[in-house]
């Protein structure tokens, strides 16, 4: 929660100068460090849009309240009966792997769990090729297993 809160506070404070700040790759890397490891690779206009959308987010306070209260608990992970791939960035500062990852690994039956080294909370920004390739490979493998499975009589 502290990362979200800090990010919101910084976004609001920097909004009037966001275009100027986000012009420089090094500034983008620092400004976006809580959500990605390679903020310098985000185009300046996209970085400004991320800051604006963060400030405009209407549910962030509700999310904070839910996290703090513990009322947003996930249930029935053990009842999932389809192929599941969970990928977690080793550099995720929003939902750190040691605190949040074990539950998914332990409770989802047959889960394939991967840790992406050097990737933050938003892997699609840090390594879009890795994300796309992983999804495509997992979906292809899951479909192959499904197609090869014997059909049960209904």
């Amino acid at each position: 929660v502290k990362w979200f809160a800090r990010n919101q506070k910084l976004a609001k404070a920097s909004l009037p100068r966001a275009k100027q700040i986000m012009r420089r790759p090094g500034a983008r890397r620092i400004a976006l460090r809580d959500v990605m490891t390679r903020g310098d690779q985000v185009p300046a206009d996209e970085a400004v849009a991320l800051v604006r959308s963060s400030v405009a987010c209407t549910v962030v306070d509700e999310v904070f309240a839910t996290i703090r209260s513990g009322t947003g608990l996930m249930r029935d992970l053990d009842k999932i009966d389809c192929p599941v791939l969970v990928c977690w960035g080793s550099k995720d500062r929003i939902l750190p792997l040691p605190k949040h990852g074990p539950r998914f690994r332990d409770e989802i039956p047959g889960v394939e769990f991967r840790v992406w080294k050097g990737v933050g909370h938003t892997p699609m920004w840090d390594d879009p090729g890795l994300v796309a390739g992983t999804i495509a490979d997992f979906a292809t493998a899951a479909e192959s297993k499904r197609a090869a499975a014997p059909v049960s009589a209904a």
Side-chain angles (χ1 to χ4, degrees):
V1 173
K2 72 178 181 177
W3 300 117
F4 280 121
R6 182 176 83 174
N7 217 22
Q8 278 296 105
K9 186 176 180 180
L10 288 172
K12 286 176 184 174
S14 67
L15 190 58
R17 302 188 72 198
K19 280 188 175 185
Q20 182 179 1
I21 293 167
M22 296 302 180
R23 268 193 326 220
R24 301 181 139 192
R28 291 193 301 275
R29 186 177 191 107
I30 292 168
L32 300 172
R33 72 184 177 276
D34 288 341
V35 292
M36 63 188 73
T37 60
R38 299 179 184 109
D40 54 313
Q41 295 180 4
V42 176
D45 288 343
E46 288 292 324
V48 171
L50 287 169
V51 171
R52 286 185 178 142
S53 67
S54 176
V55 170
C57 181
T58 60
V59 298
V60 74
D61 292 330
E62 293 172 37
V63 170
F64 290 161
T66 300
I67 291 171
R68 287 186 186 109
S69 72
T71 59
L73 301 176
M74 290 179 285
R75 292 177 175 79
D76 300 329
L77 293 176
D78 60 326
K79 294 180 181 173
I80 296 173
D81 65 354
C82 64
V84 175
L85 171 64
V86 173
C87 298
W88 214 288
S90 67
K91 302 285 186 177
D92 189 335
R93 295 173 69 165
I94 304 287
L95 298 171
L97 176 62
K99 183 175 181 179
H100 299 280
R103 181 154 184 228
F104 294 93
R105 186 179 293 159
D106 296 342
E107 293 184 30
I108 300 172
V111 67
E112 187 174 330
F113 197 97
R114 299 182 193 174
V115 177
W116 286 337
K117 292 189 184 284
V119 174
H121 185 71
T122 52
M124 60 285 209
W125 282 106
D126 285 333
D127 195 338
L130 174 65
V131 174
T134 299
I135 293 169
D137 292 347
F138 183 77
T140 299
E143 176 57 23
S144 294
K145 287 178 190 173
R146 187 197 65 75
V151 178
S152 60

